[in-house]
Amino acid sequence: MVFRLFLYLFCLLAGSLIKLVYFSTNSDDSSSSNDSLAASNGDRGRPVLEGKLHFAKFETQKINDCIDFIRSKQLRLTGSEQHGASGSAKCVIKATGGGAFKYADLFKEKLGISLDKADEMDCLVAGANFLLKAVHPEAFTYMGGQKEFVKIDHDDLYPYLLVNIGSGVSMIKPKLQLCLSFDELLELSHRGNNRVIDMLVGDIYGGMDYTKIGLVSTAIASSFGKAISDNKELEDYKPEDISRSLLRMISNNVGQISYLNALRFGLKRIFFAGFFIRGHAYTMDTIAVAVHFWSKGEAKAMFLKHEGFLGALGSFMSYEKHGFEDLKVHQSVQQYPVGASLGGDTSHDPPNEDLNENQSIDCSVYLS
């Protein structure tokens, strides 16, 4: 399928990654797009475009690849320009994150695009709400190698805790260096064994469980503990073992601290997002086990298929809030005839694959 009509681009420019979300119609030529546009009208008397939301990501250090991608897909063109309106119209895209300020001049110089900055925390919440309300299946639990999708009751969505794990970790309660990149660290961790470097409960209790307080022998007593007790340096261990231990330590701590925050507000559901996770089975399992252990099974860790694009989606949602006249977005399938569902390649569903690659969402947008 060739996407000839691209409407709007919305992006999150973070510390290490740039995440893009863009909409395209299902038509493969401009004439059929116009016919479809004229024939399809929503219940509010406005034309409706049927299409997909697409997701892409780039390393910040390779921002020129992102710029080339935007240029090659003609994403810098606004809807009015592509429908034949004056090409002198100002090109504006929604952006959030620190990079929206840092790279504003570069986008203007290279693409003639002005970045309209949106608040990052607001965008994260708006993106999560959109996914949880409009896309099914989206949220899922993961423990013991088993992935199970969860049906979210739109009338009982709040409250919840959103833990977004990226270059940093942010925890939001909505009201109503061993390798060159993190991807390589994840790849190394697949081959690693954290038991070589971590001090386990069994190492302290002669290979036995500590049943009095419910600790199995394989539970971690001290991350990197053996490196200290054996008077060794990290250089004495394999990079893959260090990667595994580091990933386990971060995930365990995030899981525990997340539960403590949820406990403070009396929350039972915790949604984890951000490109730290990347559908990585070991990470999800570690976080889920930590939440389950510290909450004694009372709290539940859930993950999102489009985990890394919450901020970019939130930028998209802010078009409506800030009165952008050319585009209206349905935030809830309950309120508007969105009919959002997953489309595209489903071969990325296994947890050890990158769930954010080539995943698109079928949707409709109202034009003012």
Side-chain angles (χ1 to χ4, degrees):
M1 178 179 292
V2 179
F3 302 108
R4 296 183 182 273
L5 177 62
F6 291 89
L7 285 179
Y8 296 103
L9 168 70
F10 5 97
C11 60
L12 168 63
L13 296 103
S16 57
L17 289 173
I18 300 171
K19 280 85 80 172
L20 305 180
V21 181
Y22 60 96
F23 175 85
S24 73
T25 64
N26 291 329
S27 305
D28 59 3
D29 61 67
S30 57
S31 60
S32 61
S33 295
N34 289 332
D35 292 342
S36 174
L37 176 65
S40 179
N41 289 283
D43 60 354
R44 294 192 171 189
R46 293 179 301 202
V48 178
L49 289 178
E50 303 291 340
K52 295 179 182 292
L53 288 176
H54 302 271
F55 303 84
K57 68 178 185 293
F58 302 87
E59 294 182 23
T60 305
Q61 63 184 6
K62 298 179 181 178
I63 192 170
N64 285 329
D65 291 345
C66 175
I67 290 174
D68 291 341
F69 177 82
I70 293 173
R71 183 182 292 115
S72 67
K73 295 289 189 181
Q74 300 185 52
L75 298 180
R76 66 190 185 281
L77 299 182
T78 67
S80 60
E81 285 179 297
Q82 294 206 1
H83 280 293
S86 171
S88 62
K90 183 179 179 181
C91 292
V92 179
I93 65 172
K94 289 287 185 179
T96 189
F101 297 89
K102 183 176 181 178
Y103 299 109
D105 292 341
L106 183 64
F107 272 72
K108 185 68 175 178
E109 175 188 350
K110 298 288 188 180
L111 297 170
I113 287 176
S114 296
L115 301 183
D116 186 5
K117 291 88 170 175
D119 181 80
E120 186 172 2
M121 296 300 108
D122 288 345
C123 287
L124 288 173
V125 173
N129 287 343
F130 170 79
L131 292 173
L132 294 171
K133 291 179 179 180
V135 181
H136 184 75
E138 176 66 31
F140 59 93
T141 60
Y142 189 85
M143 185 176 293
Q146 297 299 313
K147 172 182 174 183
E148 183 177 349
F149 281 100
V150 179
K151 184 174 178 59
I152 303 299
D153 183 354
H154 299 169
D155 297 325
D156 188 32
L157 177 59
Y158 306 104
Y160 67 87
L161 185 69
L162 175 62
V163 182
N164 196 66
I165 316 167
S167 301
V169 179
S170 57
M171 299 184 185
I172 310 168
K173 174 181 174 288
K175 292 183 178 180
L176 319 138
Q177 181 78 331
L178 298 171
C179 46
L180 295 177
S181 69
F182 185 65
D183 285 318
E184 291 182 15
L185 185 144
L186 290 179
E187 181 61 32
L188 281 175
S189 71
H190 280 300
R191 308 192 300 269
N193 179 9
N194 70 295
R195 300 181 184 186
V196 174
I197 191 170
D198 288 342
M199 181 75 70
L200 307 182
V201 170
D203 296 323
I204 301 173
Y205 291 95
M208 305 293 291
D209 296 342
Y210 190 3
T211 55
K212 184 177 180 179
I213 59 174
L215 291 175
V216 297
S217 61
T218 55
I220 297 175
S222 174
S223 294
F224 295 92
K226 288 179 180 176
I228 299 174
S229 62
D230 296 340
N231 292 319
K232 291 184 177 181
E233 301 293 332
L234 288 181
E235 290 77 10
D236 297 327
Y237 295 92
K238 295 179 181 179
E240 50 264 40
D241 295 336
I242 299 175
S243 299
R244 187 89 166 186
S245 178
L246 180 61
L247 185 65
R248 188 70 178 260
M249 180 184 70
I250 295 172
S251 300
N252 264 325
N253 278 276
V254 167
Q256 180 184 6
I257 296 172
S258 299
Y259 166 66
L260 292 176
N261 275 274
L263 179 65
R264 176 187 174 194
F265 295 104
L267 308 176
K268 301 297 185 183
R269 297 173 300 177
I270 309 174
F271 295 100
F272 291 87
F275 261 112
F276 173 84
I277 301 171
R278 305 193 189 192
H280 189 253
Y282 190 68
T283 303
M284 293 189 295
D285 195 58
T286 301
I287 291 175
V289 168
V291 171
H292 181 82
F293 174 81
W294 290 107
S295 71
K296 295 181 172 58
E298 292 186 2
K300 181 179 292 186
M302 287 178 275
F303 306 88
L304 304 176
K305 293 190 69 174
H306 296 86
E307 58 198 13
F309 293 94
L310 270 60
L313 275 170
S315 295
F316 173 56
M317 306 305 293
S318 72
Y319 275 119
E320 181 176 31
K321 182 172 66 176
H322 294 293
F324 198 93
E325 295 181 354
D326 292 324
L327 181 64
K328 296 291 183 181
V329 184
H330 326 303
Q331 189 163 350
S332 170
V333 70
Q334 299 274 326
Q335 298 173 334
Y336 305 102
V338 185
S341 61
L342 283 176
D345 187 358
T346 58
S347 63
H348 297 280
D349 284 342
N352 61 344
E353 300 282 351
D354 189 336
L355 296 177
N356 296 282
E357 294 287 354
N358 300 325
Q359 291 284 337
S360 59
I361 296 177
D362 292 322
C363 62
S364 305
V365 296
Y366 285 115
L367 299 181
S368 297

